[in-house]
Amino acid sequence: MFRITQRSMADTTYANLQSSLGRSQQLQAQLSSGKQVGRPSDSPIGASDIMQLRGERAATDQYVRNAENGLSWLTSSDSALQQSSEALRRARELTVQGGSTSLSQAGRDAIALELVGIRDSLVELANTQYLGRPVFGGTTAGPVAFAPDGSYVGDGGSVERRVGADSSVRVDVDGAAAFGTGATSVFATLDAVVADLRAGSPSGPHLGRIDASAERISGMLSDVGARTNRIDALKLKADDTAITLRSAQSQIEDIDLPKAILELQMQTVAYQAALGATGKVLQPTLLDFLR
């Protein structure tokens, strides 16, 4: 027959007490950190899931930041295009006035002067920057998209932002397409109107070119609006995904506070009771052993 000795009873009891004490210490550590999985040994499967969720969260958070950056680019472009559209509307009004054959030369010179100011303001708008980069200049490293004479000095590249695993959106605007280049640019058109007015010629023949410039800018405004809506939708999707991932990670990683507190209290009571009962049953051997 298997004989249970006082020594074996003491060893078993001591092991059980140590296990109970270890569980109490684990619960205390979880309560202090707020995490039930603080290291891989706590739950290898849980730790693996947490690492995967953290990676997905990092990617999703980056998509959100990219979307916010892209929206800022498009907002800058939209504002500049809106102001350019207003400037062209005024330029058209002045061109119509300058087309009157009964207008005096002094009147033509006054209109020409205002048109020069509009032309210069359009160059400034075409060189609108976001964080030091021209939003109409493509990927150029230079500070402007258009030279003072209205010539395009951008590189025609596109600035894109990845706002989803399979989604990239262009966030700049093709300056050459928006404002034109060479003899067909809005700047060359206004220069021609000013030259005719100062030479005493009516400006009416240039209305078609001004309208064409206005249509180009209007088309770009529609395109910017469409891209803004797309980024907004993708950002909303990324925000929702981030919330879902945070919730999933929290369920695996974070402790259930009320449950953990209750379990610690029960574990402490059980440990104290077991310690007291063991001391009475195994006196004095167990106490000597514990020392």
Side-chain angles (χ1 to χ4, degrees):
M1 293 180 61
F2 178 73
R3 182 170 176 268
I4 300 177
T5 64
Q6 191 80 0
R7 178 70 180 186
S8 66
M9 290 176 60
D11 288 343
T12 300
T13 301
Y14 178 69
N16 290 337
L17 288 172
Q18 284 293 100
S19 177
S20 178
L21 183 60
R23 178 56 181 160
S24 295
Q25 291 175 336
Q26 183 184 33
L27 287 168
Q28 289 174 345
Q30 290 177 353
L31 285 169
S32 63
S33 67
K35 307 294 182 184
Q36 62 180 340
V37 180
R39 52 189 177 183
S41 60
D42 292 337
S43 174
I45 296 177
S48 176
D49 290 344
I50 289 170
M51 291 298 294
Q52 181 176 349
L53 288 169
R54 284 177 178 171
E56 292 178 8
R57 278 187 60 187
T60 302
D61 290 343
Q62 185 62 57
Y63 295 149
V64 172
R65 289 192 293 270
N66 290 348
E68 291 172 345
N69 178 266
L71 288 172
S72 295
W73 271 78
L74 290 172
T75 297
S76 298
S77 300
D78 182 81
S79 176
L81 289 171
Q82 292 280 7
Q83 294 179 66
S84 297
S85 181
E86 290 296 325
L88 275 176
R89 187 175 293 109
R90 177 57 180 165
R92 191 183 194 284
E93 293 174 356
L94 292 171
T95 302
V96 170
Q97 293 176 24
S100 173
T101 57
S102 62
L103 190 67
S104 66
Q105 186 57 44
R108 290 191 177 95
D109 289 341
I111 290 175
L113 184 60
E114 185 173 351
L115 284 172
V116 169
I118 291 175
R119 185 254 187 213
D120 292 343
S121 69
L122 282 170
V123 172
E124 292 181 6
L125 289 169
N127 286 323
T128 296
Q129 296 181 347
Y130 176 68
L131 296 179
R133 295 180 60 183
V135 298
F136 297 105
T139 57
T140 179
V144 297
F146 290 86
D149 63 359
S151 59
Y152 185 63
V153 294
D155 61 10
S158 63
V159 179
E160 297 192 356
R161 293 292 179 266
R162 181 167 292 280
V163 291
D166 302 306
S167 302
S168 291
V169 179
R170 183 174 184 176
V171 298
D172 71 314
V173 173
D174 186 342
F179 296 94
T181 58
T184 63
S185 73
V186 63
F187 314 112
T189 296
L190 293 180
D191 286 341
V193 175
V194 169
D196 282 356
L197 287 170
R198 287 175 172 170
S201 302
S203 55
H206 298 289
L207 283 174
R209 293 173 60 186
I210 291 178
D211 288 341
S213 295
E215 287 177 6
R216 281 199 305 267
I217 289 178
S218 178
M220 284 298 170
L221 276 169
S222 297
D223 180 60
V224 167
R227 283 187 276 153
T228 298
N229 290 337
R230 186 182 178 204
I231 292 184
D232 275 331
L234 290 169
K235 180 179 179 296
L236 181 61
K237 179 182 178 181
D239 284 332
D240 290 341
T241 300
I243 292 173
T244 300
L245 291 172
R246 280 195 292 269
S247 177
Q249 182 179 338
S250 177
Q251 290 178 2
I252 298 172
E253 186 176 26
D254 297 341
I255 63 170
D256 183 336
L257 188 59
K259 180 181 178 181
I261 292 174
L262 180 60
E263 186 177 352
L264 177 60
Q265 291 173 341
M266 294 174 63
Q267 195 72 41
T268 301
V269 171
Y271 175 76
Q272 294 294 339
L275 189 63
T278 301
K280 293 179 180 179
V281 172
L282 297 181
Q283 288 181 354
T285 306
L286 178 59
L287 295 178
D288 293 339
F289 176 74
L290 291 176
R291 292 193 186 97

